[in-house]
Amino acid sequence: MSKENTAPSTALWSELFHVALYKPMLGKLTRQITGFTFAIAACLGAWRLYQVGGLPENLRFPVAAVIAVLGSWIAYRVVNWPPFADFLIGVEAEMNKVSWPGWTELKRSSIVVIVLIFGLTAVLFAYDLLWYVLLKYVLGVIVT
């Protein structure tokens, strides 16, 4: 039996202090979208901290700014961390293999789903009404 290497190839902590990109031409779009999403989440958290506070007035903006900058930097580094970057590269490769429906097929499928939802809603409403009538007027269980 071979021994598996259980140690991570690169620790995320050491990656936070690098500037280089990992495999810069692969999975570019997926990594950009993921990084921007993480950065937006960090900035929204910093903005919320600035609004709600809990800090003295003179510290609210500097602390929120530092959190926004650090969160954006961490987002940039996380999407270039080799294990996560390889995952995102694989995601983009698989998404490129998907055969996406055309507009006419998408419209038809959407109409089918919407009609089915309204139909099931009507059926459930009828069952609910039936049980309400049976329990209230026939058995006298429901008293309102």
Side-chain angles (χ1 to χ4, degrees):
M1 285 199 154
S2 66
K3 234 184 195 181
E4 289 189 30
N5 186 7
T6 57
S9 59
T10 5
L12 179 60
W13 181 252
S14 66
E15 281 294 316
L16 291 176
F17 303 107
H18 293 155
V19 181
L21 297 175
Y22 176 74
K23 296 182 181 178
M25 298 311 291
L26 299 175
K28 193 173 183 178
L29 181 63
T30 306
R31 286 200 272 180
Q32 286 174 345
I33 291 171
T34 305
F36 283 134
T37 304
F38 287 170
I40 288 170
C43 290
L44 286 174
W47 176 64
R48 183 68 177 154
L49 176 67
Y50 174 75
Q51 273 190 329
V52 172
L55 297 171
E57 189 66 35
N58 60 343
L59 290 179
R60 285 168 74 184
F61 181 75
V63 170
V66 166
I67 289 174
V69 169
L70 282 176
S72 298
W73 176 255
I74 290 171
Y76 169 73
R77 289 314 310 157
V78 163
V79 296
N80 288 297
W81 181 40
F84 192 59
D86 287 334
F87 168 73
L88 293 175
I89 290 167
V91 167
E92 187 167 324
E94 289 300 317
M95 291 300 286
N96 288 333
K97 294 178 187 176
V98 173
S99 61
W100 298 99
W103 280 111
T104 55
E105 185 180 351
L106 182 65
K107 288 177 189 174
R108 266 186 305 181
S109 299
S110 298
I111 289 170
V112 167
V113 168
I114 291 169
V115 167
L116 194 63
I117 287 173
F118 278 110
L120 288 175
T121 303
V123 168
L124 287 174
F125 177 74
Y127 285 144
D128 186 46
L129 192 60
L130 172 74
W131 281 108
Y132 179 77
V133 167
L134 284 175
L135 291 173
K136 182 170 184 171
Y137 297 112
V138 175
L139 299 175
V141 176
I142 298 177
V143 179
T144 53

